[in-house]
Amino acid sequence: MDSYDLIIREGLIAQADGTTLEVEIACHDGRIEKIDSSISQTAAQEIHAAGHLVLPGIIDAQVHFRDPGLTHKEDLCSGSRAAVRGGVTSFLEMPNTSPPTISQQALNRKLERAASCSVANYGFFIGATPQNLSVLNSAAPACGIKIFMGSSTGNLLVDQEQDLRKIFRTGSRLIAVHAEDEARLRSRSEKFSREQHENSNLRIHSYIRDDQCALLATRRATELSCEFSRRLHILHLTSAVEVDYLSEHKTEHITVECTPSHLFLTENDYDRLGSFMQMNPPIRTQVDQDALWRGLHSGIIDFIATDHAPHTLKEKQQPYPKSPSGIPGVETSLPLMATAWKSGRCDLAQLLKWMCWGPADAYNMTGKGRIAEGMDADLTIIDADSYREVRNSDMFTKVKWSPYEGMELTGWPLWTVVCGQIVFADEMIQENALGSPITFAPPDGVWFPIGASEILPLDRDARTVVSDLPALWDASVRFFRKHDCERTVVYERNFHVGSKFSLCDGRAHETRQRFYKLIKQLTCVLRSQRFRKIGASPSRGIRIQGKLRNR
C-alpha cells in the first residue's frame, strides 16, 4: 500500500502483558493495517507521539447519555464528545431514557441518532420490563438486556420472581443487572422517611440502599444464572459482602464490573460533596472500597465502567431526597486509573484488562480492546508523566461539573483515534469524524486454542475433546446443526474476520479442504513471532462461529 489514512509514529505501544514496544502504526479503512518498527509510506494524517503511551481505545460499558428525553443533562453528541476527551473510544448506553429503549423502534431511533452525531463507537442495551419478553432476545443490534432489579433513575423495574425467571430462562443474550433488592429498598425508605426530612446528612442515602440491599439482588441474579446457565453481568458492584459472596459463587457464565466512583470515593466524602456524590448503588465505606480493589486484583471483578449519569447543578443542589442520583465520570475514568497505576495501586497490564480488553471480551465485541493488525483502529495516546488539575470549566459533559474537581491526575489523553480518524487533539474535538456501531459476536462457537494439543467445542452440553482437523470439522458441523445455524461459518483471527464460506453438502470435499487450509494458515499467523511481539494474545486462538437463523 502506497499511502494510509493515518500513521502514528514515535509512540510506545502498551502490550497486554504491561510492557511497551516502540513501533509505528498504520491505519486504513478503520482498521490497523500495519505495525512495524518503521513505516516508510505516507498518510493523509500523521501523529508524532514523541514517546507517549499508545493504549487500545478505552471502552466504557455503562453510560447514561440521557438521549432521548432528558437531553438538557446530556445527549449522544455531548456525551460522546466527553467520552473521547477522556480517551473512551467505545461506549455502551443504558435504556432508561424517555421514552425507554424497550422496543426495536426505540433502539432504531437511538442508532440513527448516534450515527448522525456520535464521535465515539456506540452500542445500546435493550431494557427489560414485565411485558416485553418477546423483544428482549430479538431486538438488534443490542449488546445485552438490562434489568433494574431495584428502582433507580427512570421507570424501568423488574423485581417480581416470576418475571425474572421468565427472562433468565428465555434466550441466550447477556443479561446485565442493576442489583438492588426492591423490597428491602422500599422498606428502608419508609423506615428512614422521617429521618430523611430531619437530617440533611446525605449519608442516609447509603443507609437506605445498604450493602444487604445489594447482596440480596446479587445473590438472586447469581442463582438464576446458575439455574438456567444464563450469561450474567453484574453492574457496578459496591460492597465487601458482594465480593465475598462472589468469591464463592461466581461461575464461568458471570462477569462483574465496578465503577471508579466506588474505587475513589467513600462515605466520608459526603461531608465535602453532599449530593454531588449521590448515586445508585451508593458510595460506601473504606472497608467496601478496599474490598473492591481486592476484587479487581483477584479477578472477582473483571473490569471497570463509569455509570456516567449526569444531572444539572440545579438538580443536584436540591435537598435530599429530591436531589437525583447519578454523577458524571466518562471523561475522568482513564486519568483516575492512570493515576492509580502510577501510584502503584495497579500495573499497566491490569489497567489494560480493566479498561480495554476486559469489557471487549465480556460483551464479545469484534475488533475492540487490543492493538494488533486487523483490529479496529481505536487508540488513545496519553501523557503519563504530567499531572493536571480536574476543573469543572474544562469538562466537555453538558453539566460541566465533576466530583473530582481539584484532584491532580495524570494520564490525560493527547489524541483519541476512532475508526482510524483523529477525533480529539489539542483539547478540541476534530470536525467531520464519527464513530461506528459496535458489532457483537455470537456467544457460542467452537474454539481452536493455538498452542494446545486439543480442540475443545464450546458447546456447554458437550464434554468431548477432539484432537485433529477432521474432528474439528465434525464438531463444527454438529454444533451448527444442533443450534439451527445458517450454513455459514466465520473464522476469526484475534476477533478479526478472516474468511467466510458455506458448510454446504453439495461440495463437501472441496469445502472441507478449504476449511483445513484456512485453519492451518491462521494457526501459522497466530503462532508467528510478528504476531506475538505486538501483544496480540495468540493463545486466544481461532473462533469458529455460526450465524443463527432469523426466527
Side-chain angles (χ1 to χ4, degrees):
M1 184 173 291
D2 295 330
S3 181
Y4 296 99
D5 298 328
L6 172 68
I7 295 177
I8 300 172
R9 304 190 189 276
E10 304 166 12
L12 289 177
I13 290 183
Q15 301 186 101
D17 63 0
T19 60
T20 58
L21 192 66
E22 188 174 351
V23 293
E24 298 184 345
I25 303 173
C27 307
H28 178 70
D29 197 23
R31 295 188 183 275
I32 297 173
E33 187 75 22
K34 184 177 182 180
I35 299 176
D36 210 334
S37 57
S38 178
I39 297 174
S40 60
Q41 291 94 330
T42 60
Q45 292 182 302
E46 291 197 3
I47 292 175
H48 291 271
H52 289 297
L53 192 62
V54 183
L55 306 177
I58 303 304
I59 298 170
D60 192 340
Q62 188 189 178
V63 301
H64 301 263
F65 283 166
R66 310 301 195 196
D67 196 347
L70 300 167
T71 54
H72 65 287
K73 305 171 191 277
E74 197 80 281
D75 57 39
L76 286 164
C77 179
S78 65
S80 67
R81 288 172 172 246
V84 298
R85 190 253 175 170
V88 173
T89 58
S90 300
F91 64 82
L92 301 181
E93 209 263 348
M94 287 296 167
N96 55 328
T97 47
S98 181
T101 316
I102 56 176
S103 67
Q104 183 67 59
Q105 293 76 14
L107 179 60
N108 289 344
R109 286 193 291 269
K110 274 194 175 179
L111 288 164
E112 291 168 5
R113 170 69 171 151
S116 70
C117 71
S118 178
V119 294
N121 302 312
Y122 48 88
F124 299 100
F125 284 87
I126 188 77
T129 75
Q131 293 80 36
N132 73 335
L133 181 64
S134 62
V135 76
L136 292 182
N137 292 286
S138 63
C143 57
I145 300 165
K146 171 66 178 288
I147 298 179
F148 285 88
M149 299 176 72
S151 54
S152 189
T153 303
N155 55 7
L156 292 179
L157 178 65
V158 181
D159 64 327
Q160 297 302 304
E161 178 70 11
Q162 66 271 21
D163 296 324
L164 289 167
R165 293 184 67 82
K166 285 179 184 178
I167 296 171
F168 271 84
R169 72 169 176 246
T170 305
S172 60
R173 177 171 280 173
L174 176 148
I175 295 172
V177 296
H178 176 121
E180 290 186 286
D181 184 76
E182 180 68 10
R184 183 175 177 87
L185 194 159
R186 289 180 179 176
S187 173
R188 291 179 68 78
S189 292
E190 293 172 2
K191 178 180 179 181
F192 288 101
S193 60
R194 177 175 298 178
E195 190 173 345
Q196 286 179 26
H197 295 288
E198 295 176 354
N199 188 347
S200 61
N201 191 333
L202 263 292
R203 288 174 187 259
I204 196 170
H205 183 67
S206 295
Y207 299 158
I208 292 170
R209 308 178 88 107
D210 68 346
D211 59 358
Q212 292 304 307
C213 181
L215 178 61
L216 285 169
T218 293
R219 179 187 293 132
R220 190 72 199 102
T222 300
E223 290 170 349
L224 288 167
S225 171
C226 292
E227 180 178 352
F228 296 108
S229 296
R230 187 63 181 265
R231 178 73 177 86
L232 170 67
H233 180 67
I234 301 172
L235 299 160
H236 40 46
L237 203 76
T238 61
S239 68
V241 292
E242 290 172 286
V243 173
D244 291 343
Y245 172 79
L246 289 169
S247 68
E248 298 291 332
H249 297 91
K250 185 184 177 188
T251 71
E252 62 182 4
H253 301 303
I254 299 173
T255 51
V256 183
E257 73 181 48
C258 67
T259 78
S261 302
H262 295 95
L263 293 172
F264 292 93
L265 299 172
T266 71
E267 284 184 350
N268 295 332
D269 293 303
Y270 275 123
D271 295 336
R272 176 173 59 90
L273 293 171
S275 61
F276 288 94
M277 60 172 273
Q278 177 190 331
M279 62 183 298
N280 300 333
I283 304 298
R284 303 199 189 278
T285 67
Q286 185 66 55
V287 170
D288 294 300
Q289 186 184 97
D290 293 343
L292 295 178
W293 279 103
R294 289 196 304 273
L296 279 167
H297 284 280
S298 68
I300 298 300
I301 300 172
D302 298 277
F303 62 87
I304 290 165
T306 65
D307 193 18
H308 174 87
H311 299 281
T312 66
L313 286 167
K314 183 177 180 180
E315 290 167 335
K316 293 295 277 186
Q317 287 167 346
Q318 296 178 96
Y320 187 82
K322 292 183 179 180
S323 53
S325 292
I327 61 177
V330 72
E331 59 192 299
T332 52
S333 61
L334 175 56
L336 284 167
M337 295 308 300
T339 303
W341 158 47
K342 298 296 282 189
S343 66
R345 297 197 77 172
C346 63
D347 58 35
L348 181 57
Q350 290 169 322
L351 186 150
L352 296 177
K353 176 189 176 186
W354 298 341
M355 304 195 79
C356 303
W357 64 262
D361 285 7
Y363 285 95
N364 285 323
M365 298 179 186
T366 60
K368 306 298 184 191
R370 295 172 175 83
I371 298 176
E373 290 177 0
M375 298 292 281
D376 292 346
D378 300 330
L379 303 160
T380 302
I381 305 170
I382 67 170
D383 181 352
D385 298 314
S386 302
Y387 286 74
R388 193 194 317 168
E389 183 180 343
V390 179
R391 293 192 296 262
N392 287 346
S393 59
D394 293 338
M395 295 292 107
F396 279 32
T397 173
K398 270 190 181 184
V399 297
K400 300 294 286 186
W401 65 270
S402 168
Y404 307 106
E405 186 181 32
M407 288 184 67
E408 294 278 341
L409 302 177
T410 191
W412 293 95
L414 300 170
W415 294 271
T416 304
V417 176
V418 175
C419 301
Q421 312 163 91
I422 301 173
V423 297
F424 175 79
D426 300 320
E427 291 299 313
M428 294 186 295
I429 300 297
Q430 307 301 296
E431 299 302 323
N432 302 316
L434 292 172
S436 300
I438 300 167
T439 56
F440 305 96
D444 294 318
V446 181
W447 193 265
F448 179 39
I450 303 304
S453 60
E454 64 267 351
I455 299 160
L456 179 65
L458 286 187
D459 179 355
R460 60 175 69 100
D461 297 325
R463 294 293 180 266
T464 304
V465 175
V466 294
S467 57
D468 54 23
L469 288 173
L472 175 62
W473 169 268
D474 292 341
S476 299
V477 172
R478 285 196 305 272
F479 179 86
F480 299 139
R481 287 176 178 167
K482 176 178 179 179
H483 293 278
D484 193 26
C485 294
E486 293 179 354
R487 294 177 181 272
T488 301
V489 290
V490 180
Y491 305 93
E492 290 191 332
R493 175 169 66 87
N494 203 45
F495 298 108
H496 172 52
V497 173
S499 181
K500 301 179 182 180
F501 58 83
S502 175
L503 274 173
C504 60
D505 295 328
R507 304 170 70 179
H509 177 74
E510 179 182 341
T511 304
R512 186 178 303 195
Q513 294 306 311
R514 290 178 61 202
F515 177 91
Y516 293 170
K517 182 179 180 181
L518 183 60
I519 291 293
K520 290 176 181 177
Q521 288 174 341
L522 292 180
T523 301
C524 291
V525 170
L526 289 170
R527 283 176 171 161
S528 71
Q529 284 301 114
R530 176 175 173 76
F531 199 80
R532 286 178 182 275
K533 77 177 183 178
I534 58 176
S537 301
S539 62
R540 295 200 62 82
I542 300 165
R543 179 181 289 186
I544 304 170
Q545 295 171 324
K547 181 180 178 183
L548 296 180
R549 293 183 189 278
N550 293 326
R551 291 181 173 86

